[in-house]
Amino acid sequence: MCGILVSQLSKVDSFDLINGLSSIKHRGPDQSNTYIDTDSQTYIGHNRLAINGGLDAVQPMLSECTPWVIGVNGEIYNDKSELDVVKTKFRTKSDTEFALRGIEQFGVNFISELDGEFSLCLYNRKTKSLYLARDRNGSKPLYYYQSNEKFIAASEIKALLATGVPAVWNKNYLMAKERFLVGAEQTFVKNIYSLPPGHILECKNNEVQIYSYCKVLPSYPDTFEKLNINYESAINQFDTLLKSAVSKRLPNENFACYLSSGIDSSYICAMASKLTKNTSSISIGFTNSPLDESTKAEKFAKQLGIQHHTLSLSQSDLINTFESAVYHAESIVPNMNVAAKFLLSNQTKKLGFRIALTGEGADESLLGYNFFQHDIATPQKYQHNQVELFKGQAKLEKRLNFTPSAASSTFSISSTLNSLRLDEYYYTNYQSHLIAPDDELITSPLGYSQWLHYNTVFQDYNLQALGDKTELAHSIEGRQPFLDNKVVGFLHSLPTNFKYHNGINKRILRDVYSKNFPDFQVEKQKIPFLAPPNLAQDAMYHLLNELHAVASNNVTLGIYDINKVINYVTFLIKNKTTLAFSEDIIVCHILSILYLQKHFHLKI
């Protein structure tokens, strides 16, 4: 993986581009290079983690015979034989060059043919047009900022802020986070946006256009044509597709699989170990916690005959790391698990690995989450006169006669956070920047539930905060077989009962697993990746000291009243030895805001 910083400015020196690129050096520690077109004031900076192509595959990569320049963050798995071998002459073994050669032949539309986890930038030296794109699942981040005379984009928000983009809280983000309904394009900084997955941004003369390059997007499962297929045939096809998804992501070097006791990571680890001897596994152990899965993971790895590593973590480890983890995650997070994932990636690097296979994406397309199952088994009917949380919600839910459990389950948490706001924001009603799609894009209650998750928590939290950013903080490249284009497309095309049936989730995956590994048993119920509740007394006192430090400087905490927050935390210290799950979420929410404001000097 890599880090990208791109700009088209009226004046090259109006932003500190060198500082911006330096701030994301962790994403690509092996090489740093730039391309500058002084005629159009276009700058492309690239920090490279040199996995494919060795040190010869320098980026930004310039075409010798066409006007194209390219920089890629991520991995592209297409085979070179997919291009005309007569017309195409490769000079490196880099996957970036495959993308460049395809664009030379077919233009920007070739992006739709790319298979992998990526974000990229393209520049046409002739037309002076700049293009940005992300893979259709949104595995790799890409953010942008535009003003009257400036356009700038980067792999991480901190890079944009380091160049001089104004550090102002996005108040709508802060309010939407209370309900876990931050839209996929929103960030915590005002006027910094995330490019939507599966889209291209075109910039020329500071005019921006954004459009989808996909016929169907994974975030709209109802738009996938349903297959007329029996269950046994579906098992066989899914077996072939998933095996291929793992195989194409296996590197020619030793690598780790992030392993829990669940079916997703167990399948990936088992299949990888079957296909190559380069496989090792690593898991997290939580001391004296029912959430600890390390013993089961160790036993499973022993059955596979691969080397296994366990990282044992205490509450103190999580608390002491939380600030750094939030800084890299660039998000308000609800649990200490972001610190656990941050430490796991750090340990992976210490063990000498650069690549990790992970299980992100399985729960979304295989209906692994409890809220999906609840919406299938006991759907909640639409209630009239409820407050709209996003534009078009009432009309959509009235048409489907359905409200997703994810949209209604956070009322208690949001009410408490609302009570901690500054008075001027206390009665503020907000709508998320989400907009209900057209009728033909959501045609079923389950499709609505999936769309809501794909376009909120999945983007900002699952893929970025817990995925890409905590991995790349330590220069670890995460690869995600369950987000393979063909795998996701196939699963979205199957009947619901192939995935969830009679109380069993991930039905087809379990049967594919049993077909390949009949002797290896895994957990039947999903155990969510959660760190233990964080609130020992010393952690609470640490938070209280941090809050008093903020109060002494006469500054607010985003939209929250610092004195109300101090009173709330003081109450918890005096009255609680351990926190309820919802209280834990609220405290982590407050801590996240505090650390984001502290590191990025945010103003309201």
Side-chain angles (χ1 to χ4, degrees):
M1 301 300 173
C2 307
I4 299 170
L5 180 68
V6 189
S7 70
Q8 283 192 330
L9 309 173
S10 59
K11 297 180 181 179
V12 171
D13 61 353
S14 60
F15 274 42
D16 191 344
L17 301 175
I18 294 175
N19 191 45
L21 188 61
S22 177
S23 72
I24 52 171
K25 183 66 176 176
H26 51 272
R27 298 186 66 91
D30 297 328
Q31 291 178 331
S32 289
N33 291 285
T34 60
Y35 167 83
I36 299 175
D37 184 336
T38 55
D39 291 338
S40 64
Q41 306 292 6
T42 298
Y43 171 98
I44 302 174
H46 192 276
N47 292 327
R48 181 167 176 247
L49 180 62
I51 300 291
N52 292 325
L55 297 179
D56 294 333
V58 175
Q59 296 189 56
M61 189 175 287
L62 280 64
S63 172
E64 311 91 331
C65 54
T66 71
W68 291 109
V69 181
I70 190 171
V72 175
N73 164 37
E75 288 296 326
I76 296 169
Y77 304 111
N78 299 73
D79 192 280
K80 290 182 178 179
S81 64
E82 296 176 35
L83 294 177
D84 189 325
V85 293
V86 176
K87 295 181 180 179
T88 308
K89 303 298 181 183
F90 289 94
R91 55 185 174 84
T92 73
K93 296 181 179 180
S94 168
D95 52 329
T96 296
E97 187 178 3
F98 173 86
L100 177 62
R101 301 308 177 197
I103 289 161
E104 286 176 345
Q105 290 184 34
F106 303 105
V108 174
N109 290 337
F110 185 71
I111 292 172
S112 65
E113 302 299 319
L114 297 180
D115 176 19
E117 302 102 16
F118 65 86
S119 60
L120 60 81
C121 67
L122 286 168
Y123 177 63
N124 187 307
R125 290 170 283 181
K126 182 177 180 180
T127 66
K128 309 301 182 184
S129 296
L130 179 68
Y131 302 86
L132 307 177
R134 290 179 72 200
D135 69 76
R136 60 196 67 194
N137 291 295
S139 303
K140 298 294 116 188
L142 195 55
Y143 304 94
Y144 67 94
Y145 168 85
Q146 183 185 24
S147 66
N148 291 334
E149 298 179 337
K150 306 161 187 174
F151 176 86
I152 185 166
S155 298
E156 295 187 10
I157 296 167
K158 62 177 62 66
L160 299 179
L161 295 175
T163 66
V165 169
V168 179
W169 276 112
N170 179 352
K171 289 181 282 190
N172 189 278
Y173 172 96
L174 290 170
M175 296 178 193
K177 264 292 183 180
E178 295 177 353
R179 297 297 293 262
F180 298 91
L181 286 178
V182 172
E185 297 177 44
Q186 295 296 304
T187 76
F188 67 92
V189 183
K190 183 179 180 181
N191 296 328
I192 292 181
Y193 300 96
S194 174
L195 178 63
H199 282 68
I200 292 172
L201 181 153
E202 181 178 351
C203 180
K204 184 177 181 181
N205 298 325
N206 205 38
E207 293 185 4
V208 168
Q209 290 182 313
I210 298 176
Y211 49 90
S212 173
Y213 62 80
C214 301
K215 293 181 179 178
V216 288
L217 285 164
S219 55
Y220 297 95
D222 282 345
T223 62
F224 286 75
E225 184 177 353
K226 298 303 181 243
L227 294 172
N228 183 13
I229 189 173
N230 64 51
Y231 187 63
E232 290 305 316
S233 296
I235 288 175
N236 292 331
Q237 287 192 39
F238 184 48
D239 181 28
T240 300
L241 290 173
L242 191 54
K243 199 176 294 182
S244 173
V246 174
S247 178
K248 72 176 69 169
R249 286 166 174 79
L250 299 177
N252 296 318
E253 61 181 76
N254 293 334
F255 64 94
C257 294
Y258 287 170
L259 179 63
S260 67
S261 64
I263 183 74
D264 315 332
S265 62
S266 295
Y267 174 88
I268 291 172
C269 194
M271 184 55 68
S273 67
K274 185 176 181 179
L275 296 173
T276 177
K277 295 180 180 180
N278 294 337
T279 309
S280 294
S281 58
I282 182 169
S283 63
I284 296 173
F286 296 118
T287 307
N288 300 320
S289 170
L291 296 174
D292 179 44
E293 301 178 77
S294 61
T295 301
K296 294 175 181 177
E298 289 169 5
K299 181 179 178 181
F300 183 76
K302 187 175 181 180
Q303 285 181 295
L304 295 177
I306 62 175
Q307 187 175 21
H308 181 76
H309 308 272
T310 299
L311 174 65
S312 295
L313 298 176
S314 66
Q315 281 192 342
S316 295
D317 294 324
L318 300 176
I319 294 163
N320 293 335
T321 307
F322 190 65
E323 181 173 351
S324 295
V326 168
Y327 166 77
H328 280 282
E330 301 182 328
S331 178
I332 297 173
V333 300
N335 185 271
M336 287 282 172
N337 47 7
V338 70
K341 184 67 180 292
F342 183 84
L343 288 166
L344 178 67
S345 297
N346 182 45
Q347 183 66 12
T348 303
K349 181 178 181 178
K350 288 181 178 179
L351 290 168
F353 301 114
R354 300 191 298 167
I355 297 167
L357 266 60
T358 71
E360 278 93 356
D363 289 305
E364 283 70 25
S365 54
L366 285 158
L367 308 179
Y369 289 118
N370 288 334
F371 53 82
F372 288 152
Q373 297 158 35
H374 178 82
D375 289 344
I376 295 169
T378 55
Q380 179 179 327
K381 292 185 178 180
Y382 169 66
Q383 301 294 319
H384 295 276
N385 301 321
Q386 62 187 24
V387 176
E388 271 201 328
L389 301 177
F390 57 88
K391 187 177 180 180
Q393 180 188 14
K395 179 183 176 182
L396 172 61
E397 294 186 3
K398 184 177 181 180
R399 174 169 63 86
L400 299 173
N401 192 24
F402 168 73
T403 297
S405 55
S408 59
S409 61
T410 58
F411 179 77
S412 174
I413 293 169
S414 64
S415 295
T416 300
L417 286 168
N418 194 353
S419 72
L420 300 178
R421 292 183 192 176
L422 291 160
D423 290 343
E424 63 194 278
Y425 299 111
Y426 184 73
Y427 294 105
T428 302
N429 290 324
Y430 79 94
Q431 285 192 336
S432 169
H433 282 85
L434 284 172
I435 298 176
D438 296 336
D439 290 358
E440 64 270 18
L441 297 178
I442 294 181
T443 58
S444 71
L446 179 59
Y448 173 23
S449 184
Q450 288 181 285
W451 168 82
L452 188 64
H453 175 71
Y454 270 120
N455 286 279
T456 55
V457 175
F458 183 60
Q459 287 298 319
D460 174 63
Y461 184 61
N462 292 21
L463 288 184
Q464 305 311 326
L466 277 182
D468 174 89
K469 293 180 185 177
T470 48
E471 292 160 357
L472 266 298
H474 303 288
S475 308
I476 297 298
E477 176 175 291
R479 299 183 179 182
Q480 305 148 330
F482 283 103
L483 290 178
D484 183 83
N485 291 344
K486 292 183 178 179
V487 166
V488 174
F490 181 74
L491 289 173
H492 280 350
S493 300
L494 293 179
T496 298
N497 67 350
F498 285 16
K499 294 169 280 191
Y500 180 74
H501 184 63
N502 289 336
I504 301 298
N505 66 1
K506 305 179 184 178
R507 176 191 178 193
I508 192 169
L509 174 59
R510 295 183 188 282
D511 288 332
V512 165
Y513 181 91
S514 296
K515 174 184 175 182
N516 287 279
F517 311 106
D519 299 327
F520 301 151
Q521 299 299 313
V522 295
E523 292 290 321
K524 289 189 176 181
Q525 294 299 319
K526 174 178 173 57
I527 299 176
F529 175 62
L530 291 172
N534 66 33
L535 270 301
Q537 287 291 315
D538 57 343
M540 292 300 293
Y541 281 114
H542 173 74
L543 171 57
L544 195 59
N545 290 334
E546 293 270 11
L547 292 170
H548 279 297
V550 173
S552 67
N553 292 323
N554 296 315
V555 296
T556 63
L557 192 65
I559 60 172
Y560 298 97
D561 186 316
I562 191 68
N563 293 314
K564 291 180 183 179
V565 174
I566 287 173
N567 289 338
Y568 175 76
V569 174
T570 302
F571 170 82
L572 293 178
I573 291 173
K574 290 181 177 179
N575 295 279
K576 299 293 183 81
T577 53
T578 58
L579 292 191
F581 183 70
S582 60
E583 292 166 336
D584 190 64
I585 291 174
I586 291 166
V587 172
C588 287
H589 186 102
I590 293 168
L591 265 174
S592 299
I593 294 171
L594 190 152
Y595 290 140
L596 289 173
Q597 183 165 296
K598 175 181 176 181
H599 284 277
F600 298 117
H601 310 291
L602 293 152
K603 308 296 182 182
I604 195 66

